[in-house]
Amino acid sequence: MTTACEFPTVQVTTAPRLVTGQFGRLLVMVFGSGLSMYLLTSVVPLYLAANGSGGIGAGLSTGAMMLAAVGTELLVPRLLARWGYQVVLGLGLILLGAPSLLLLVTASLPVVLTICVVRGAGLAIMVVGAVALVADVTPDRRRGEAFGIYGLAVGAPAVIGLPLGVYLTNLVGFGALFVLAAASSLLVLGMLAGMPKATSEEEQHVKVLGGLRGSGLMMPTFVFAAVTVAAGISVTFLPLAVAEDKHSLVATALLMQAITAPAARWLAGRYADRVGPAKLLAPALILAAAGAGSLVLIGSTAAIVVGSTLFGLGFGAAQNLTLTMMYDRVPKSRYGQVSALWNLAYDGGWGVGAIVFGAVVAGTGYSVAFGLTAAIVALAIVPAVKASVAARSSARPAQR
């Protein structure tokens, strides 16, 4: 027999735990591998320049690493399908870290470029594999938050490594930095213990370059590539363009760029959810172009610091906005393709920009070459404005 009044039972559900042991170890692994990369991103060009291979050699070092990453990124899904996360990510950490030790014994340009190619392959494995692993080790209901935390783990090494590598060059020498870069990647191999061994069925069948025509992915891909061209150039050639006794200035500029980029990436994502990413992309590119253009005044301390800050803001915002636009334009079945294309634009633009800039600067000087870089970013504003106009038109209520 029941009472006159019965109250329904209220079930309180708690959100599933996000930072599990697996996810925590993944974040440590991502941080270590990222630090290995960023410590040497600007240092290897300085190392080559100090040994008589500056200019084109410096550009080739960054370009070789990033273009190797592009080629390898197309293969990583197959590698994961065949050997699983533990083996493939372990290989990535070794390829990224161990070759740095060879720089202790040689500054030969062909050898250094080979080392950069091997490290680029390791970087590609870590970028593609780690993102896929985030989805596997975090709960579906909190995946967006998980990728936000993952973004911080990826961005922190840039904030630390880019300026620290340049700053420490004169304090501890190249050799100590090469050992530190190797150690930061190799010491996190133990974090792979307990990780899933196999990838999901969906990830095993991603076709990176399939069905692009009419997909709406081409415009944001190429727009983002234009910005990454300037990003690769700034971290590679800014230390070479500034007088050797002003490395602390370069470290400050790279620090400002590294700090503002993730902050702008977060803010752009927050406001894009309200107004749409297309409406914010053109302003982001204007900031990036202005920052790149400021380096034309390479003799001015203010221009270097302010320019790097503006570029960091524009670059970080463009990262989020282009990726969001690409995800908004495809069904869930093509999410893997979007991630791969975006990473290809990132690494490809970074690598091509460094190679071409190295060839151009030899004949034009740094001011003109930086001006041409800004022009490339500025050209990308045109399709971004068209996308903004189209977004506003589609959002406008129909007239009666």
Side-chain angles (χ1 to χ4, degrees):
M1 184 174 181
T2 61
T3 59
C5 291
E6 292 185 345
F7 295 94
T9 302
V10 178
Q11 294 183 344
V12 179
T13 59
T14 59
R17 183 182 177 188
L18 179 59
V19 183
T20 61
Q22 285 184 328
F23 191 31
R25 289 194 297 275
L26 173 59
L27 294 176
V28 173
M29 182 173 60
V30 167
F31 179 87
S33 62
L35 189 61
S36 178
M37 173 197 170
Y38 284 111
L39 276 173
L40 299 188
T41 297
S42 294
V43 168
V44 169
L46 284 174
Y47 181 60
L48 288 171
N51 289 276
S53 299
I56 293 178
L60 287 175
S61 67
T62 299
M65 182 173 182
M66 291 306 174
L67 293 182
V70 168
T72 306
E73 281 166 353
L74 297 171
L75 304 176
V76 174
R78 295 182 183 179
L79 297 178
L80 290 172
R82 184 167 184 177
W83 289 311
Y85 286 118
Q86 288 187 353
V87 173
V88 176
L89 289 178
L91 176 64
L93 290 171
I94 292 171
L95 294 179
L96 186 59
S100 303
L101 297 174
L102 296 177
L103 294 172
L104 293 168
V105 297
T106 181
S108 168
L109 181 58
V111 176
V112 173
L113 293 181
T114 301
I115 291 170
C116 291
V117 167
V118 175
R119 295 188 77 231
L123 173 65
I125 290 172
M126 294 309 302
V127 168
V128 177
V131 170
L133 189 53
V134 171
D136 271 357
V137 301
T138 56
D140 293 348
R141 290 169 53 191
R142 303 187 69 183
R143 189 160 293 162
E145 185 181 356
F147 277 113
I149 296 175
Y150 171 80
L152 293 176
V154 172
V159 174
I160 298 171
L162 279 176
L164 185 63
V166 175
Y167 179 73
L168 290 179
T169 299
N170 292 329
L171 294 181
V172 299
F174 291 112
L177 283 170
F178 298 152
V179 173
L180 181 59
S184 64
S185 183
L186 298 177
L187 289 178
V188 296
L189 279 167
M191 297 296 105
L192 288 169
M195 292 293 183
K197 294 183 178 180
T199 60
S200 68
E201 192 70 20
E202 181 180 351
E203 290 165 352
Q204 294 180 17
H205 295 90
V206 170
K207 294 182 179 180
V208 177
L209 301 179
L212 293 180
R213 181 174 297 179
S215 65
L217 298 178
M218 299 299 287
M219 186 280 286
T221 298
F222 283 108
V223 164
F224 183 54
V227 185
T228 62
V229 163
I233 288 170
S234 65
V235 300
T236 301
F237 288 95
L238 189 57
L240 303 178
V242 177
E244 188 172 343
D245 60 348
K246 293 184 178 180
H247 278 178
S248 59
L249 170 61
V250 177
T252 300
L254 292 176
L255 177 62
M256 293 304 299
Q257 180 174 318
I259 290 174
T260 53
R265 188 173 180 177
W266 174 76
L267 286 172
R270 181 177 181 181
Y271 286 101
D273 288 340
R274 302 177 185 179
V275 303
K279 297 178 182 179
L280 300 177
L281 184 56
L285 294 175
I286 291 172
L287 284 174
S294 296
L295 296 182
V296 171
L297 305 174
I298 195 62
S300 168
T301 297
I304 292 172
V305 175
V306 173
S308 296
T309 301
L310 290 176
F311 182 77
L313 291 170
F315 177 50
Q319 283 181 296
N320 192 303
L321 298 171
T322 52
L323 186 60
T324 303
M325 288 177 67
M326 293 169 74
Y327 274 121
D328 287 347
R329 294 180 175 189
V330 299
K332 188 174 182 180
S333 60
R334 299 181 69 178
Y335 279 6
Q337 181 187 28
V338 166
S339 177
L341 281 174
W342 189 84
N343 278 298
L344 287 171
Y346 195 123
D347 296 335
W350 193 297
V352 170
I355 291 175
V356 174
F357 189 94
V360 171
V361 75
T364 66
Y366 283 106
S367 291
V368 174
F370 280 127
L372 293 174
T373 301
I376 292 173
V377 180
L379 287 175
I381 297 173
V382 177
V385 170
K386 292 181 179 179
S388 177
V389 171
R392 294 178 189 277
S393 298
S394 62
R396 189 177 302 143
Q399 297 181 352
R400 295 186 181 182

